[in-house]
Amino acid sequence: MRITLELGDITRQHTDAVVNAANSSLLGGGGVDGAIHHRGGPAILAECRLLRASRYPDGLPPGEAVATTAGDLPARWVIHTVGPVYSKTQDRSAVLASCYVQSLRVADELGARTVAFPAVSAGIYGWPHDDAARIALTTVNQARSQIEEARFVLFTEDVYASFGQVLASLEGS
Ligand code: AR6
């Protein structure tokens, strides 16, 4: 699997799937979640409501992932995952790593070849950027998957720089 980085907006990506940093309700929110629902249109929310009425009556637990249509986005599917809220007193790294593992599993089930990821938990959920980048990249780098390209689409210069540093150190090791 090739790992690439891009500074930009995930809603513009022409990958097979884009990953959404959702919340357990699956019913939308701010950040990348808000942008995906806004640009993807009501078909995404409609499928999320069906998921809540069927498989996830109590919501999607942190660390898990589930796919819907991508609606009006250029991608085919949105893979919704729920990152952990950052905690100074509790190590939730395994839950954050699970977001990437489970998103890749869902992508494989869909037959996706290219997947765009945001920096899950690195916004409203408060995860420090460098650590979010380390967990994201080491997890995807170690994962077994049929995906050809995992593209991290970072929205801000500082997060992009954090991912760049971690990727360079992975490639150098
Ligand atoms: N494309 C790519 N990345 C983006 C975009 C975009 N269009 N918009 C924001 N980001 P966040 P979280 C970056 O807050 O921390 C929502 O309300 C952002 O700069 O979207 O997992 C959900 O409903 C940051 O680097 O997700 C949840 O309630 C990264 O995406 C909660 O926020 C993640 O920031 C989830 O918080």
Side-chain angles (χ1 to χ4, degrees):
M1 188 185 354
R2 201 156 44 93
I3 298 180
T4 59
L5 307 183
E6 191 169 313
L7 180 63
D9 181 344
I10 206 166
T11 66
R12 308 281 184 182
Q13 299 297 310
H14 290 253
T15 44
D16 293 331
V18 297
V19 173
N20 181 20
N23 61 63
S24 287
S25 81
L26 292 177
L27 301 179
V32 69
D33 194 11
I36 283 174
H37 281 283
H38 178 72
R39 199 166 279 281
I44 301 175
L45 186 59
E47 260 192 57
C48 285
R49 286 193 199 284
L50 287 177
L51 284 167
R52 285 299 308 277
S54 54
R55 280 170 71 185
Y56 299 106
D58 300 324
L60 183 67
E64 295 193 20
V66 67
T68 66
T69 175
D72 299 331
L73 296 177
R76 286 179 69 184
W77 300 286
V78 173
I79 298 172
H80 306 263
T81 191
V82 180
V85 176
Y86 181 71
S87 163
K88 282 186 176 153
T89 55
Q90 208 181 29
D91 183 4
R92 298 174 179 168
S93 305
V95 181
L96 184 54
S98 174
C99 290
Y100 292 100
V101 171
Q102 293 304 317
S103 294
L104 287 171
R105 179 188 58 76
V106 171
D108 276 336
E109 283 172 10
L110 293 166
R113 288 285 180 263
T114 54
V115 180
F117 286 96
V120 177
S121 288
I124 293 165
Y125 282 176
W127 211 287
H129 297 165
D130 289 344
D131 203 45
R134 181 186 62 77
I135 293 166
L137 288 167
T138 53
T139 303
V140 171
N141 192 41
Q142 286 166 10
R144 293 172 64 89
S145 164
Q146 300 304 309
I147 303 303
E148 287 161 12
E149 182 189 0
R151 185 184 305 166
F152 285 89
V153 181
L154 296 326
F155 202 52
T156 58
E157 297 272 0
D158 53 344
V159 178
Y160 179 71
S162 292
F163 273 73
Q165 277 183 0
V166 175
L167 188 59
S169 72
L170 280 180
E171 286 171 345
S173 63

